[in-house]
Amino acid sequence: MSEGQQAQVEIVATDRPGAHLVRVGGRDQSLVDLDDPRHLAFDYVRRIADVVDDHAPAGGDLRVLHVGGAGLTLPRYVAATRPGSWQVVLEPDVALTERVRAELPLPRRSGIRVRGDDGRTGLAAVRDDAVDLVVVDAFVDGEVPDDLVTLEAAGELARVLGAGGLALVNVSDRAPFPLTRDLVAALREHLPHVLVAAEPATLRARRAGNLLVVAGAGAVPREALAARARSAGAPYRVLDDVAVASSFGGGRVRRDPAARGGGS
């Protein structure tokens, strides 16, 4: 999904009735199914939803902050499975949001609020201990923005999470996973328990892919997610703290420019 992009937006009907592909700058960003928002076509979005489903029973309210919006696929899923949930989406591409709202309207009383802020600006405006989940699914030209993988960004994610809350970060990377390693290093400074979920081909360095990094101050749901992963339509692997340290250790903690003494 997008963060600070003002690229060309395409909304394309698919062969599935009611389903549309949202494409930004030539990249597929979201698949929105207006008839069935529980339908999640992208494997990495399904992995995120597995964390959501494990974190709270279906029907139970959640407080979710989404950094990156695009077609609002995951917020629609949460609204459909957990009506009454509090959800805020940070999406700085106002033109994209307006186009999506016009052509792929949100359900009435969805409870989804979209703010035209970038991730760090929007995070700074959220009070402490305000949310159960923070989902970072933001990209510029296929990369997570630099200011969302720093030590200071990790601190902001930890600050807004309530007790037992989790930060979920979707990363596009490939072996030897330099970005994921750096992100894990930063997150562990504030949220020491980390798991990584990805398809086996990506972990085996056969191709680039999406890695979902989940971090919390307390335990992360490795066993529950591993069980879901084994029965998923597109099976994936879940690495626990020890495996993450082995496969994704040695990262460099990145800092905001101001924290490096480089000014703002």
Side-chain angles (χ1 to χ4, degrees):
M1 297 186 184
S2 63
E3 166 86 4
Q5 288 184 213
Q6 299 293 329
Q8 180 185 5
V9 177
E10 300 172 82
I11 297 179
V12 183
T14 70
D15 292 338
R16 182 182 174 95
H20 297 75
L21 185 67
V22 178
R23 190 173 291 145
V24 180
R27 298 175 184 271
D28 293 347
Q29 298 285 342
S30 307
L31 191 290
V32 177
D33 191 328
L34 294 175
D35 294 339
D36 182 10
R38 294 173 174 83
H39 171 238
L40 302 175
F42 291 4
D43 293 341
Y44 83 87
V45 180
R46 180 66 259 174
R47 288 177 218 139
I48 296 173
D50 282 348
V51 179
V52 172
D53 291 344
D54 178 75
H55 200 71
D61 292 352
L62 276 173
R63 301 170 300 166
V64 187
L65 178 66
H66 304 265
V67 181
L72 308 173
T73 301
L74 190 70
R76 296 171 196 264
Y77 174 84
V78 173
T81 57
R82 293 158 178 83
S85 291
W86 178 97
Q87 295 192 85
V88 168
V89 180
L90 306 177
E91 175 50 72
D93 191 337
V94 176
L96 168 61
T97 299
E98 290 177 348
R99 177 89 180 271
V100 168
R101 281 185 176 277
E103 298 187 33
L104 306 173
L106 291 168
R108 294 183 61 188
R109 296 184 294 275
S110 69
I112 300 168
R113 291 173 289 172
V114 184
R115 298 175 181 169
D117 296 327
D118 65 80
R120 290 295 295 275
T121 301
L123 276 166
V126 178
R127 63 179 174 81
D128 295 0
D129 309 319
V131 301
D132 303 307
L133 300 172
V134 182
V135 180
V136 180
D137 188 13
F139 291 88
V140 174
D141 296 329
E143 299 286 344
V144 181
D146 292 342
D147 67 352
L148 291 177
V149 295
T150 64
L151 179 65
E152 292 75 24
E156 284 292 274
L157 295 177
R159 180 185 63 77
V160 303
L161 288 173
L166 297 173
L168 293 72
V169 186
N170 175 41
V171 182
S172 179
D173 207 355
R174 68 181 309 147
F177 308 112
L179 179 57
T180 307
R181 291 175 187 272
D182 290 355
L183 173 64
V184 167
L187 286 170
R188 277 186 156 162
E189 294 290 327
H190 295 280
L191 300 167
H193 299 282
V194 179
L195 67 78
V196 174
E199 62 176 348
T202 298
L203 294 173
R204 292 172 184 159
R206 292 179 181 172
R207 61 173 175 262
N210 291 88
L211 298 97
L212 177 63
V213 181
V214 182
V220 289
R222 192 267 171 190
E223 292 299 330
L225 289 183
R228 292 177 182 272
R230 288 191 292 270
S231 61
Y236 58 94
R237 288 186 58 200
V238 180
L239 307 184
D240 61 10
D241 281 320
V242 174
V244 169
S246 175
S247 299
F248 296 96
R252 171 180 59 90
V253 175
R254 304 186 188 186
R255 304 297 304 271
D256 286 351
R260 298 196 303 263
S264 58

